[in-house]
Amino acid sequence: MNLKIFTPRGGVHPDSHKTESSETPIRHVPMPPRLIIPLIQGSQGSARTIVTVGDKVLKGQCIGEAEGADGTSIHAPTSGTVTEIGRYPMAHPSGLSSQSIVIEPDGENHWITYEPLDPTTANRDELILRIQASGIVGMGGAVFPSHLKARSKINTLVINGAECEPWMTGDDRLMRERAANIVSGAAVLAHLTGAQQTLIGIEDNKPEAIAATRTAVDDMEPVARECLGTGKMTVIVVPTRYPTGERKQLIHVLTGIEIPPSDRVTKFGIQCFNVATAHAVCRALLHGEPMVSRIVTVTGNVKRPGNYETPLGMPIADLLAFCGVKPNTTHVLMGGPMMGFTLPNLDAPVTKGCNCLIAASKELFPPPPSEQPCIRCGECVDACPVNLQPFELYWASRAKNFDGAKYHRLFDCMECGCCAYVCPAHIPLVDYFRYASSEIRARDEEQKAADQARMRFEFRSSRLEREKAEKSARLAARATETRTKSAADAALIAAAAERVNEQAQIEPSLQDNAAPLYDQQT
Amino acid sequence: MTSPHIRQPASVQRVMTTVLVALLPGIAAYVWQFGAGILVNLVIATVSALAAEALVLRLRKRPLWVTLSDGSAIVTAWLVALILPSIAPWWLTVAGVLVAIIGAKHLYGGIGQNPFNPAMAAYCAMIVAYPALMSQWPSVDGVDFATQLHLILGGSRGIDGITGATALDTMRTGLHNLGNVQDILTSNTFGYAGGRGWEWIAAGYVVGGVFLLARRIIPWSLPLGFIVGMGVMASVSYLIAPESFPSPLFHFASGGTMLAAFFIVTDPVTCASSPLGKFIFALGVGIITWVIRAFGVYPDGIAFAVLLMNICVPFINRATPLAPAGQRKDRP
C-alpha cells in the first residue's frame, strides 16, 4: 500500500473562502413553481422525451430515455404535470437554449416505487445499465456519463474529494454528512471496474470530511470486501493546492503517475470519480433513486450562504432568491472562481453539472487591473501545472502565430487559470489561449472543408475526364468498326469486280457492260 | 467576464520596486566607500529615463501612466547609473540612459520586447564612444562630495589623485607589462578580495541578490550559471598558471560581477525562457566575460558577453523546450 504523496509542479494557493458556506448543514429548498429539465445533461449524449404535455409524473419517473449508448436518462425531480416541452436557456457561457421538459410540481413530492439493485447478485451489465438509466453523470462539473467510465477495467479507483476550487464546499459537506453513501458507491464502482485498490483523496483543509470518510471506510471496507470482493480502500490527505482536484493532477498526487494531457487515464489502469458521483451511484443502485437533485454551493454575495439540496431544473434565479442574494450583486458565477463562467441568464435551470453558484459583487470580485505588457518574468511558468510556458503561448497567440502556439503545446492547456491568476502584468492569458485554440479549430475545420471541396472537384474533373475518354474511345471504336466494315464492303466489291473482269476476259463481249456497273457502285 | 475571476495581488510595479529595494545595500556601500556622488548620478539617470520614456510613449501614442508607473524605466536608469563611473559627467549618464531607453528598449517595441539588455547596450555604446571617461573611476580615498559634484557637472578633469584605476584595469595593465599576478595584487588598488572599496559594493549586491532569490523575483539558475561559468574558467586557468591568471575570488569580487549575477543576467526580458535555457545563457555570459577579461582589450567584458548571449537566446530557447507533462516519469 502506497501512502506516499507526490507533489506535481505548479499550482497556486488562492484564498479559500470555504468557511462562508461550509459550516452549515446541507439544506433543502422549497419547490419552485416550475422546473425546467434540459434533455442534454451529459457531455456525451442526450435523452429522448418519453412524456407528452399533460402527463402526470412521479418523482424519479423517467421522462427522457438515454439516447444511444452514450446518452443518459433524465427523471422528474418531483411529482407534477408536464406543462410544456420546448426550448429554454441553458446554464452555459453561450446562453444558448436547448430542448427542455417543463414540469409544474403538485407539491406532493411523490416518489416512484424504489427498485434497488443488489450489487452482490446483479450482474455487471445490469448494474452499468442501471447507472445509465439513473442518469448519473460526473458531478464534479464535467458531466461525463458515469456508465461509460464504470465499464472500464482498471487497477486503481480514485475517488476525488479534493475540491480545490475556492468558495466551493458541496463535496466537503457531502463527505461530512453522507460519507457512508460515498464509500458504498465507491465500493460498487470498485466492484464494477475490478479495481484492486481505492484511493480517496481529500485536501487537508477539510479535516471533518477526512474524519467522517475515514470512519465510513473503517465501517464499510470489510463489508465491501466480503460482499463485493473489492480491495483496500484508503483515505489519503493531500495538500491544499489548486488545481489538485483536476483528476490527472489528483492521480499524480496519489499515485505518482503523471498522465500526459493527451492520454486517457484508463491507459494507466486508473479511473476517477467525484465523491458526489459515488454518492449518486449508491443512491441509484442501493436505494433505487435516480438522479433528481444535486447539492449546490450558493455563496458569495448572499445572505444565507451554504449548501442546498436542489431539485434539478430549479431556475437559478429562484435558488438565489431563496438564499437571499444581495442587491449589489453584479453578476453570478457558475462553478468556482478559477474555472467557472459568468452566467448570461439567471433563468437557466440548475443542471447536473451545477456544483456552485457564486454571487459576485465589486467588493468580492473586483474587476482585474488593466493589462500591462508581458515582461517574461516566468511567474506563469512556475504556476503552470502541466509544464507549459504560458508567456510563450501568449506571445504566439497574440501574434496569431498559431503554429507557434501549437509548437508550445497549446492543446495541453486545460485552462485552469493558474497563469492568469499569478500574472503581475494582469494579462488575461486564458482568454488568449481560448482565442488561439478556437481559431486553430476554425482553421482546421476550414481546411477540412477546403480539402473536401478540393477532393470533390478533383473527383468530378477526373470523372469528366474519364467520361470524355470513354466517349472518344467509343467513337474511335465505332469509326474503326465503320472503317473495317467499309473496307470489307470494298473488298467484296473488288472481289465482285474481279469476277466480272475474269468473266470479261473469258467473254469479251460482256466487258463493255461491266465498267458502267462498277462506276455505279462507287 | 471570463475565468479566472480572481487574481493574486501582484503587479509589475511590485516586481520593479522589489528590484529597486534590492539595489539599496549595494548603493549604500557605494556611498560609504566612494561618497555621495553616485546618488547625484542616480537622480540624473532616473529623471532622464522617465523623461525619455514619456517622450517615446507620447511619440508612439501609448498610454503614458501605465508604463511610466511600472517602475521599469527607473530600474534601467539605476542600473545604467551604477555601471557608469560615479564621477562621469552628467551628459554621459544622460546619453547612456537615452541609449538604453530609446535605443535598446523602445526601438524594439518597448518593455518586454527588447532582445538586448538596455543597461548593457548603454555601457557598450559609452565605452566605445568615450573610452577615456569610462575608465576614470573615483579612487577610494580622498574624493570629497564637492569635487565629485564638480566633475559630474562637467568640471575640468585630469586632477591626479582623484581618479583611480579599477582592479580589473590595474590587473590587465600589470599583466600586459609582464607583471605577475601576486606582485600586481600588492598594489594599493586591491583590498581583501577585489578592488579596494569595490568589494564592499559587491557584497552589498550579494545581499540584495539573496533578497531577490528569497522573494522569488529571480530564479537561482541565472546567478548560478553566471558564477559557475566564470568560476570554472577562472579556477582552471588559476590552477594551471596562477602567475598569469587571477583567482576566481578576484573575478567574483571585481568589476561588475555581482551586479551582473543578480541584476543584469537576471533581466527576464532578455534571457532565455526555460530553467535549463537560463542556466546555459548565464553560463555563456560567465565564460565570455572571463575570456574578455583575460584576453580582450576591455577591462570588463560583462556588457559584451551579455549582448553576445542575448543574440543566442532564440537558439537557446529552441534547444531547451520544457518537457511535456507526463513524459518525465516512468510509466507503470
Side-chain angles (χ1 to χ4, degrees):
Chain A
M1 195 61 240
N2 199 349
L3 274 175
K4 201 181 150 210
I5 297 289
F6 298 83
T7 314
R9 75 182 312 282
V12 294
H13 299 90
D15 287 343
S16 73
H17 287 286
K18 299 268 194 189
T19 47
E20 282 90 333
S21 58
S22 67
E23 298 315 304
T24 45
I26 298 169
R27 284 173 279 189
H28 287 268
V29 294
M31 202 51 75
R34 62 174 192 170
L35 297 168
I36 304 156
I37 303 107
L39 294 176
I40 302 176
Q41 296 263 3
S43 62
Q44 306 297 302
S46 166
R48 188 178 51 242
T49 324
I50 57 166
V51 288
T52 47
V53 174
D55 281 5
K56 299 260 182 240
V57 291
L58 290 175
K59 183 174 185 179
Q61 182 181 329
C62 185
I63 53 173
E65 248 173 18
E67 213 168 32
D70 296 348
T72 45
S73 304
I74 55 168
H75 306 81
T78 186
S79 56
T81 315
V82 176
T83 56
E84 193 192 341
I85 297 171
R87 298 191 76 79
Y88 276 87
M90 287 189 290
H92 188 268
S94 67
L96 289 173
S97 60
S98 82
Q99 195 70 10
S100 310
I101 299 173
V102 182
I103 292 175
E104 201 178 279
D106 59 11
E108 304 285 326
N109 217 19
H110 268 313
W111 268 100
I112 47 163
T113 321
Y114 299 128
E115 283 172 22
L117 196 56
D118 185 353
T120 57
T121 53
N123 74 37
R124 187 165 178 260
D125 291 341
E126 263 183 298
L127 290 164
I128 289 170
L129 267 179
R130 174 59 76 87
I131 290 177
Q132 182 181 20
S134 300
I136 298 174
V137 294
M139 301 201 64
V143 295
F144 190 87
S146 300
H147 66 278
L148 298 177
K149 283 163 91 176
R151 268 205 308 243
S152 51
K153 279 290 186 187
I154 48 148
N155 305 317
T156 306
L157 176 69
V158 169
I159 300 294
N160 187 348
E163 198 165 54
C164 62
E165 274 266 15
W167 294 93
M168 266 189 214
T169 58
D171 291 347
D172 182 8
R173 279 317 310 185
L174 193 71
M175 286 186 280
R176 292 196 208 185
E177 297 178 34
R178 305 178 194 171
N181 279 349
I182 294 170
V183 175
S184 310
V188 174
L189 289 168
H191 169 64
L192 289 175
T193 53
Q196 278 109 52
Q197 59 167 351
T198 303
L199 308 176
I200 306 176
I202 308 173
E203 280 191 350
D204 57 12
N205 59 358
K206 297 182 256 299
E208 295 92 342
I210 293 163
T213 313
R214 281 207 165 126
T215 314
V217 166
D218 290 345
D219 294 348
M220 310 290 298
E221 197 200 5
V223 184
R225 195 188 288 271
E226 190 163 315
C227 300
L228 298 170
T230 53
K232 182 138 183 67
M233 278 191 163
T234 323
V235 175
I236 302 182
V237 181
V238 301
T240 298
R241 158 190 171 272
Y242 176 87
T244 292
E246 194 274 329
R247 68 200 166 113
K248 285 181 180 174
Q249 294 281 313
L250 182 64
I251 289 168
H252 186 184
V253 175
L254 296 178
T255 65
I257 299 166
E258 198 182 350
I259 299 173
S262 52
D263 273 343
R264 287 168 185 270
V265 291
T266 44
K267 184 176 164 188
F268 295 79
I270 302 170
Q271 190 57 278
C272 179
F273 292 90
N274 186 267
V275 282
T277 314
H279 176 261
V281 167
C282 166
R283 299 305 303 176
L285 299 183
L286 305 182
H287 300 266
E289 286 174 18
M291 191 183 282
V292 293
S293 66
R294 71 152 299 140
I295 289 163
V296 183
T297 305
V298 183
T299 184
N301 201 33
V302 291
K303 290 197 194 94
R304 289 175 295 280
N307 286 285
Y308 295 88
E309 175 99 52
T310 313
L312 297 175
M314 180 170 189
I316 285 167
D318 291 351
L319 177 59
L320 288 168
F322 177 70
C323 302
V325 63
K326 293 181 194 165
N328 63 337
T329 298
T330 51
H331 56 285
V332 177
L333 305 180
M334 179 164 146
M338 291 298 287
M339 285 188 82
F341 60 92
T342 307
L343 278 168
N345 189 336
L346 296 183
D347 294 333
V350 168
T351 49
K352 291 174 183 175
C354 177
N355 44 15
C356 181
L357 295 170
I358 306 173
S361 64
K362 277 208 170 60
E363 292 70 39
L364 292 173
F365 294 90
S370 57
E371 187 178 340
Q372 281 172 279
C374 168
I375 54 165
R376 301 179 197 246
C377 65
E379 285 283 327
C380 52
V381 181
D382 290 343
C384 181
V386 288
N387 214 30
L388 299 175
Q389 297 187 85
F391 69 87
E392 293 282 12
L393 279 174
Y394 157 76
W395 288 102
S397 306
R398 211 177 95 122
K400 302 189 183 176
N401 169 11
F402 298 127
D403 290 327
K406 271 186 180 167
Y407 172 81
H408 289 290
R409 306 198 310 278
L410 173 68
F411 288 106
D412 279 9
C413 172
M414 52 182 176
E415 299 178 8
C416 69
C418 290
C419 51
Y421 174 75
V422 298
C423 180
H426 316 297
I427 300 169
L429 290 156
V430 186
D431 286 357
Y432 282 95
F433 307 157
R434 285 191 193 109
Y435 161 74
S437 51
S438 71
E439 284 294 308
I440 291 172
R441 285 207 185 91
R443 200 180 58 168
D444 289 353
E445 288 291 309
E446 236 165 69
Q447 185 63 46
K448 226 159 105 193
D451 284 350
Q452 263 172 2
R454 204 189 59 237
M455 274 166 65
R456 264 204 306 275
F457 174 74
E458 279 170 359
F459 182 76
R460 182 170 179 269
S461 339
S462 77
R463 195 196 66 207
L464 292 178
E465 197 89 339
R466 198 186 63 226
E467 282 175 3
K468 209 169 141 193
E470 279 172 6
K471 197 175 168 190
S472 58
R474 248 191 343 264
L475 285 173
R478 200 179 300 160
T480 330
E481 205 181 303
T482 322
R483 224 175 295 130
T484 23
K485 209 174 155 198
S486 51
D489 286 353
L492 278 175
I493 292 159
E498 192 81 356
R499 278 197 306 277
V500 170
N501 278 344
E502 275 168 20
Q503 267 189 351
Q505 273 176 353
I506 301 163
E507 250 179 283
S509 60
L510 282 172
Q511 205 173 3
D512 296 336
N513 296 331
L517 182 79
Y518 180 78
D519 285 345
Q520 267 169 18
Q521 278 284 327
T522 54
Chain B
M1 259 172 282
T2 50
S3 67
H5 302 272
I6 47 175
R7 298 299 167 93
Q8 184 173 259
S11 64
V12 176
Q13 282 90 328
R14 197 179 290 202
V15 173
M16 295 298 169
T17 313
T18 314
V19 174
L20 292 179
V21 169
L23 280 169
L24 292 179
I27 294 172
Y30 212 132
V31 173
W32 168 43
Q33 290 295 321
F34 294 96
I38 183 66
L39 298 180
V40 179
N41 268 356
L42 282 169
V43 171
I44 293 172
T46 305
V47 171
S48 47
L50 289 174
E53 183 95 9
L55 175 75
V56 182
L57 287 171
R58 195 69 185 273
L59 289 174
R60 295 180 65 204
K61 300 187 175 63
R62 295 295 166 103
L64 275 186
W65 182 242
V66 180
T67 309
L68 269 187
S69 66
D70 70 15
S72 62
I74 303 177
V75 170
T76 305
W78 285 23
L79 291 175
V80 170
L82 290 171
I83 57 178
L84 299 182
S86 64
I87 50 170
W90 64 271
W91 53 265
L92 191 81
T93 308
V94 172
V97 167
L98 293 183
V99 168
I101 298 281
I102 298 176
K105 194 166 104 172
H106 275 293
L107 286 186
Y108 288 97
I111 181 171
Q113 312 259 22
N114 47 307
F116 297 108
N117 186 304
M120 293 296 100
Y123 182 91
C124 289
M126 292 304 111
I127 201 158
V128 171
Y130 305 102
L133 283 175
M134 287 292 285
S135 61
Q136 289 174 2
W137 293 80
S139 75
V140 72
D141 19 50
V143 192
D144 59 65
F145 183 64
T147 320
Q148 286 191 7
L149 205 58
H150 171 76
L151 289 172
I152 290 169
L153 294 177
S156 60
R157 298 191 165 246
I159 316 149
D160 275 349
I162 291 172
T163 64
T166 63
L168 288 172
D169 234 348
T170 314
M171 181 62 72
R172 201 176 63 86
T173 318
L175 287 171
H176 196 69
N177 299 331
L178 300 173
N180 145 326
V181 168
Q182 276 62 40
D183 295 343
I184 300 166
L185 281 176
T186 56
S187 146
N188 184 34
T189 315
F190 301 98
Y192 301 102
R196 196 150 57 89
W198 295 104
E199 54 202 12
W200 292 109
I201 301 174
Y205 293 144
V206 173
V207 171
V210 169
F211 171 67
L212 288 182
L213 283 172
R215 295 294 298 268
R216 295 183 55 253
I217 298 285
I218 57 171
W220 54 267
S221 52
L222 286 164
L224 185 77
F226 180 65
I227 286 167
V228 166
M230 180 182 279
V232 166
M233 300 303 283
S235 305
V236 170
S237 57
Y238 180 65
L239 288 175
I240 294 171
E243 70 288 344
S244 314
F245 295 101
S247 73
L249 185 65
F250 170 81
H251 278 290
F252 293 157
S254 309
T257 307
M258 287 304 140
L259 184 67
F262 296 105
F263 296 91
I264 300 289
V265 299
T266 51
D267 172 22
V269 175
T270 54
C271 72
S273 40
S274 71
L276 177 64
K278 284 186 164 74
F279 184 81
I280 294 171
F281 166 82
L283 195 76
V285 176
I287 292 170
I288 298 173
T289 302
W290 180 85
V291 169
I292 295 175
R293 281 184 182 182
F295 308 107
V297 290
Y298 292 105
D300 203 349
I302 293 172
F304 293 100
V306 169
L307 294 190
L308 286 171
M309 289 312 291
N310 284 160
I311 297 171
C312 303
V313 161
F315 307 109
I316 298 174
N317 284 346
R318 276 257 142 191
T320 57
L322 288 184
Q327 286 165 25
R328 290 164 297 162
K329 294 262 157 62
D330 307 7
R331 301 283 174 77

